[in-house]
């Protein structure tokens, strides 16, 4: 089922995985059920059903500990994936808690899992805004992945390294790393990693002012997404198109932002916060409405990018250490937006 899902046969793949869950439950085989629910959780996340994904991964982790003899590898793997899913949604404190649980179980049982854990530590450090630490950790993850990890892990580690380099302002280095990630993804014909690498490349080229290069990367990302399912990446492409259009075609920017919101409603978390911020900035008539929605979501999100996005739509300044904050600040002309409010006396301030 997982293989079919990854090859783009989404519905059939999900059906097969659910059948595997049912068969394992009937057999009362906790180990098999834990593995099947692990795959189901990852598939649901890519489809945008993030709440259900977290539920399935949590159940998988509990079942792995109940399996005969305890399945240490599966429990460790699922804890990393729970951390990753929480962190991708912006719940970085929850992700950190899962990694603490992982550490309490001892060292990862194999080198591939060690690479996965090292990558998640790197991504989490970046989400907290500690990019120098993140770069050191992601280099450890790449070394592990190149040694024992599969091609998907090698590609994922390089995509994360590129995002960290972009936050540090090292755009050319980041693009070179993404070329390596794209080459790896092409060799294994993995559409999801190709799409993520292309989206990251588009963000960097957009930040450099290379609008045509960014749009070309997004076109290729759309082609890759047509072969699979990744709601967060699909929404990210639309957000980036809105940012690129904002400088010369406000109507198109608003249309792209509205489409992004429709896609990312299913995903939620920091992805939706970021989309709401961009949608508000490209459509001033609806800025206050979208600011309120972003603020409500941000109460459950502690990712540094989400915090910066909310600060900017509030008309406040935001630290410019991360690439997203620099992009959104540029959209505002580098100035904090001044808000007009009505005071208790009925006058405008």
């Amino acid at each position: 089922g997982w293989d079919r899902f990854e090859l783009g046969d989404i519905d059939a793949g999900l059906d097969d995985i659910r059948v595997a869950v049912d068969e394992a439950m009937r057999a009362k085989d906790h180990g098999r059920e834990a593995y099947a629910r692990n795959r189901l959780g990852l598939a649901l996340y890519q489809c945008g059903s993030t709440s259900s994904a977290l539920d399935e991964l949590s159940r998988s982790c509990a079942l792995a500990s109940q399996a005969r003899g305890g399945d240490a590898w599966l429990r460790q793997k699922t804890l990393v994936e729970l951390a990753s899913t929480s962190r991708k949604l912006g719940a970085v404190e929850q992700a950190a808690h899962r990694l603490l649980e992982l550490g309490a179980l001892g060292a990862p049982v194999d080198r591939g899992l060690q690479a996965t854990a090292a990558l998640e530590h790197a991504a989490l450090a970046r989400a907290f805004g500690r990019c120098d630490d993140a770069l050191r950790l992601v280099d450890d993850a790449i070394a592990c992945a190149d040694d024992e990890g599969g091609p998907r892990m090698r590609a994922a580690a390089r995509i994360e390294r590129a995002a960290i380099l972009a936050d540090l302002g090292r755009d050319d280095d980041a693009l070179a790393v993404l070329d390596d990630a794209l080459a790896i993804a092409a060799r294994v014909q993995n559409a999801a990693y190709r799409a993520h690498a292309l989206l990251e490349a588009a963000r960097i080229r957009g930040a450099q002012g290379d609008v045509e290069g960014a749009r070309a990367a997004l076109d290729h990302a759309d082609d890759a997404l047509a072969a699979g399912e990744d709601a967060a990446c699909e929404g990210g492409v639309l957000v980036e198109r809105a940012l690129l259009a904002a400088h010369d075609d406000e109507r198109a920017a608003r249309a792209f932002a509205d489409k992004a919101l429709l896609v990312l409603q299913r995903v939620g978390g920091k992805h939706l916060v970021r989309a709401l911020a961009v949608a508000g900035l490209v459509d001033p008539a609806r800025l206050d409405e979208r600011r309120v929605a972003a603020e409500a979501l941000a109460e459950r999100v502690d990712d540094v990018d989400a915090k910066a996005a909310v600060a900017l739509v509030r008309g406040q300044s935001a630290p410019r250490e991360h690439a997203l904050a620099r992009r959104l600040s540029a959209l505002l002309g580098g100035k904090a937006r001044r808000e007009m409010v009505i005071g208790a006396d009925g006058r405008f301030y």
Side-chain angles (χ1 to χ4, degrees):
W2 178 249
D3 288 342
R4 294 181 77 175
F5 181 89
E6 283 209 305
L7 290 170
D9 196 352
I10 304 302
D11 291 338
L14 281 170
D15 286 345
D16 285 350
I17 296 170
R18 288 189 170 106
V19 167
V21 170
D22 290 342
E23 289 179 349
M25 289 177 65
R26 284 196 295 272
K28 297 183 179 180
D29 187 329
H30 292 318
R32 282 174 53 200
E33 185 184 349
Y35 185 78
R37 289 193 183 279
N38 175 285
R39 300 292 94 181
L40 182 58
L42 296 180
L44 288 170
Y45 175 80
Q46 286 189 218
C47 291
S49 300
T50 52
S51 178
S52 296
L54 287 168
D55 287 345
E56 293 297 343
L57 288 170
S58 295
R59 292 177 72 180
S60 172
C61 190
L63 286 162
S65 64
Q66 297 170 20
R68 185 176 301 172
D71 192 330
W73 176 84
L74 184 57
R75 191 176 178 204
Q76 288 179 336
K77 177 178 173 58
T78 305
L79 280 169
V80 174
E81 286 160 352
L82 274 166
S84 179
T85 303
S86 298
R87 188 259 312 161
K88 287 174 183 175
L89 293 171
V92 294
E93 292 290 350
Q94 290 182 26
H97 180 72
R98 293 299 187 181
L99 290 182
L100 286 174
E101 287 184 61
L102 176 69
L105 295 177
V109 297
D110 64 37
R111 185 78 165 157
L113 192 54
Q114 183 181 343
T116 306
L119 176 57
E120 193 48 43
H121 278 286
L124 192 59
R126 174 176 173 258
F128 276 117
R130 303 197 320 268
C131 288
D132 289 330
D133 290 338
L135 187 60
R136 174 179 54 80
L137 290 164
V138 83
D139 285 341
D140 290 344
I142 288 174
C144 289
D146 288 351
D147 183 19
E148 294 291 341
R152 291 175 176 81
M153 176 54 56
R154 294 201 297 273
R158 283 164 172 79
I159 294 168
E160 185 61 35
R161 188 176 200 273
I164 295 165
L165 290 169
D167 281 344
L168 290 169
R170 295 169 55 182
D171 289 350
D172 291 338
D173 291 339
L175 289 171
V177 173
L178 288 171
D179 285 342
D180 289 345
L182 285 167
I184 295 168
R187 285 199 294 273
V188 294
Q189 298 182 327
N190 189 292
Y193 287 115
R194 176 172 169 77
H196 278 279
L198 287 162
L199 173 56
E200 195 60 44
R203 288 171 174 158
I204 294 167
R205 294 194 183 282
Q208 291 178 324
D210 180 6
V211 174
E212 292 309 311
R215 285 176 173 152
L218 293 175
D219 289 342
H220 290 307
D222 277 336
D223 291 341
L225 287 167
E229 178 83 14
D230 195 316
C233 190
E234 180 186 350
V237 168
L238 290 165
V239 168
E240 189 59 32
R241 288 195 186 278
L243 283 169
L244 293 172
H247 299 289
D248 57 12
D249 190 341
E250 291 183 359
R251 181 176 294 180
R254 291 194 295 269
F256 283 129
D258 287 345
K259 289 179 182 177
L261 291 177
L262 286 174
V263 172
L264 293 172
Q265 287 285 354
R266 295 182 289 137
V267 178
K270 74 171 186 180
H271 304 286
L272 185 53
V273 172
R274 181 162 48 191
L276 284 164
V278 171
L281 293 174
V282 302
D283 188 356
R286 302 186 68 182
L287 189 147
D288 287 338
E289 166 196 340
R290 284 161 174 171
R291 171 180 56 77
V292 169
E295 287 173 337
L297 273 173
E299 292 178 1
R300 302 189 297 275
V301 171
D302 34 25
D303 172 87
V304 68
D305 279 347
K307 288 179 179 178
V310 170
L312 288 165
V313 293
R314 283 173 172 163
Q316 302 166 349
S317 61
R320 294 166 62 90
E321 285 83 359
H322 273 212
L324 178 67
R326 293 195 292 270
R327 294 289 303 285
L328 297 184
S329 294
L331 190 60
L332 288 164
K335 299 177 182 178
R337 184 180 63 86
R338 296 178 64 187
E339 287 190 341
M340 183 177 288
V341 298
I342 302 175
D345 58 0
R347 298 175 61 183
F348 289 95
Y349 294 90

